Amino acid sequence: GREEGCKFVTLALDGRVGATEAFQLSDVCVQMVAENVLSPPMVDESKQSTRFLTLRDPVVVSGEETKRLDSVLLLVNTAMLSHVGLYSGGAKAPVGGNVKRGSGALLVKTRKRILAALDQGNGALQELCDFDVLLALDSLIGKEESEKLCLLVRKYARGQKKGTVLDGHLKLTLQSVLGG
């Protein structure tokens, strides 16, 4: 989960406009680790950057053989901002989004929409199928509740709608943090 995820995914945030991009390790990087080509990075407190990695075996980069590799070459942009896919909020998602641009906090109308869906007993998981909403809720609820919620949303988004319901504790937690 969370502890190990930071090893494989990183986020880049532009503080001026709040734009965020996600990057993950490329297949080539995973293969290099599996074949023991990449050595574990040496952490040297005197160095300011760990951008360049030392390799056990030389590789060819831009037509030149080297044992020093720029770590940026090992990352792949995951296009998190495309807002297309299972966690984009669906066709009913508001055009302006569900969170405040600057802080990432849930908008009041989003809170009300989720609370209404929770009270009606249906449609709550559809409202929660939005990465921005899940990220905002993650900072409001506990680790265990967040993991449960993400598992339920993933099942629901993948089409396993029958039997995928919020349990009483999770529903009460959401109502509590959303102000219901």
Side-chain angles (χ1 to χ4, degrees), residues 61-180:
V61 177
S62 299
E64 293 184 27
E65 200 172 272
T66 182
K67 280 189 159 188
R68 192 165 181 247
L69 184 65
D70 188 343
S71 61
V72 172
L73 297 174
L74 302 174
L75 299 176
V76 177
N77 188 322
T78 62
M80 184 182 85
L81 294 178
S82 67
H83 297 292
V84 175
L86 297 177
Y87 307 106
S88 64
K92 295 181 181 179
V95 175
N98 287 307
V99 296
K100 295 177 184 174
R101 285 187 183 211
S103 66
L106 290 171
L107 295 171
V108 173
K109 65 181 180 181
T110 304
R111 288 176 181 261
K112 288 181 180 179
R113 205 172 54 250
I114 296 170
L115 280 169
L118 288 168
D119 290 340
Q120 294 170 2
N122 63 349
L125 286 170
Q126 176 63 39
E127 292 292 338
L128 296 169
C129 282
D130 185 312
F131 182 78
D132 291 331
V133 170
L134 291 174
L135 191 60
L137 287 172
D138 182 64
S139 65
L140 299 174
I141 62 179
K143 178 182 175 183
E144 188 176 315
E145 289 85 1
S146 184
E147 288 176 359
K148 274 186 189 176
L149 181 60
C150 288
L151 286 173
L152 283 172
V153 167
R154 181 171 52 198
K155 283 176 68 175
Y156 184 86
R158 291 181 176 173
Q160 299 174 9
K161 295 178 170 84
K162 202 173 202 177
T164 306
V165 294
L166 295 168
D167 65 30
H169 174 72
L170 194 52
K171 185 176 176 180
L172 187 59
T173 301
L174 289 172
Q175 288 172 326
S176 173
V177 299
L178 294 172

